[in-house]
Structure formats: C-alpha cells, structure tokens
Amino acid sequence: AASTVLTNDGSGNLSWAAASGGSFSPTVIMNASSAGLNATRIVDGGGTSSDANHAVTLNAGTSPGAVYTRWGITNSSTGIESGSPIFRQRIELSTAGTDFQSFHGLGLSGSIASTGITYTAKHIGFKFVRTASGIINVYATQADGTTENASASLTTLVAGDNLDLVAKVNGTTSVDYYWSKNFGSWSSATNLTSNLPSGIQNYVVSGVSNVSTSSNTVLNSFNPIFER
C-alpha cells in the first residue's frame, strides 16, 4: 500500500486524507514504551512507577500502597466501551506480596487505593487477587457502577509468571475474555453478560494495591493495546 501522512489536530486525534479528499480516523494502538511517557501516574501510600524495557513497572511498596497508570483515549464522548473495542495487555508478576489486588482493563480510574480496589466502579477487564499468603487467582471482571460480575478463577499465578489478557466487547450485550499464561496456548476464559457498564471512563488502566504491611507487589505492565 502507498504511504500516507497522519495528521494530529493538536488534541491527540489522528486522521489521514481519503482518496475523495475527505478524511477518516485510523485504529489507534497505544504502546507503553511511548504512550507511557505521557500517561497519568497515580500513587497512594508507598507506591512508585517507572518506564523500562517497553513496560511500565508498578511497585506498590512494602507498606500499604497503590499505584496505577492510565492511558487516556480521546474521541470517545459516548464511552470507550462503544464500538465493540478490543483491549489487550501483557502483565508480568515480578514480586508477589502476601495480600494484594490488581486490575488491568478499561475504566476504574480513581478506584485503586492503598486500602484496596473498588470493583463496583464501572469497568471491563481482569483482576488478580491474593489474600493472606494464599493462591493468586485471576478473574474476568466487569461492573455497571453498582454491582460487579466476576468469573470463577481463570488461572493461578506465582511470581515470575507472564499473562496475556484480551477483552472483546460485543456491543451492549456481553464481553468475551481470553488469556494465555507464560506464552502458552490461548484459553477462551468466559463470556460475561450481566452488569455490563456504559459510559465508563476513557482510560486504559493498569494498577496494583498492596494492603499488607510486610511485603511488596511489583508488576510489569507491557504494551497496552486498545482498538476498535
């Protein structure tokens, strides 16, 4: 295909000229190695974050603390869940604390704190949960602002594991969730139909809350992708 020139309107909206002289907007893929430089970092308690190796490292700290990075999405006045988008991200669990929660998906900005994550806030994505030095479980999760709808545990993790995550929104009816652990085959996780949110915040979010006073949780958040 012939090369073309993308035009930025100054507000982060990209378009290119169509053959007829009009224009249209392309699919936008956000990569943490570049988008992360302009992302918003929120830290509560002892958390820190940094960019390295095409990833954002989220370090919740050894006292109760939380940190998340959110990548803003423009041109989404009707909510980023419209248009049947696909979210994809790879997460590496570098260090696992004794008691932590994490979220990776769409929305939920402002609901990640050192006291935990409020999973009733509007969102679509995945959560990792460990309590009292137990097993680390991974769940698909979505909520309409009042009630969370979470799957049964999809898989379990230990420190050093990688997990690729995909959520595909099917209009206003359901979300399909998929996962792959340690570069293995893909599993069709589940299809959640109830408590599907509308008008969720225009952010791709990756964050962790460590509520233990004696351990730490560190995640590497690779290459978040959002496309319609």
Side-chain angles (χ1 to χ4, degrees), residues 8 17 24 43 47 51 66 104 129 136 154 157 169 179 189 197-198 202 207 210-211 225-226:
N8 190 320
F24 61 93
V43 175
D51 291 296
H104 311 280
V129 178
I136 303 166
L154 306 177
L157 302 175
V169 182
W179 59 275
S198 62
N202 296 334
N210 188 62
V211 297
I225 295 172
F226 176 82

Side-chain angles (χ1 to χ4, degrees), residues 18-114:
S20 63
S23 65
F24 61 93
S25 297
T27 293
V28 177
I29 296 177
M30 302 187 305
N31 186 303
S33 62
S34 57
L37 297 176
N38 298 312
T40 303
R41 306 294 172 77
I42 310 296
V43 175
D44 179 38
T48 62
S49 66
S50 61
D51 291 296
N53 300 323
H54 304 288
V56 175
T57 298
L58 303 174
N59 186 328
T62 54
S63 60
V67 58
Y68 66 88
T69 297
R70 66 186 187 190
W71 293 266
I73 301 173
T74 59
N75 253 352
S76 299
S77 60
T78 58
I80 59 173
E81 78 286 352
S82 64
S84 299
I86 296 174
F87 159 79
R88 177 168 178 167
Q89 191 169 31
R90 173 174 295 163
I91 305 298
E92 176 188 75
L93 181 60
S94 179
T95 304
T98 58
D99 191 346
F100 77 92
Q101 305 167 23
S102 70
F103 172 77
H104 311 280
L106 308 177
L108 204 66
S109 177
S111 299
I112 301 174
S114 59

Side-chain angles (χ1 to χ4, degrees), residues 202-226:
N202 296 334
Y203 297 112
V204 171
V205 174
S206 186
V208 59
S209 172
N210 188 62
V211 297
S212 172
T213 59
S214 59
S215 65
N216 193 14
T217 303
V218 181
L219 295 170
N220 293 316
S221 173
F222 291 87
N223 301 328
I225 295 172
F226 176 82

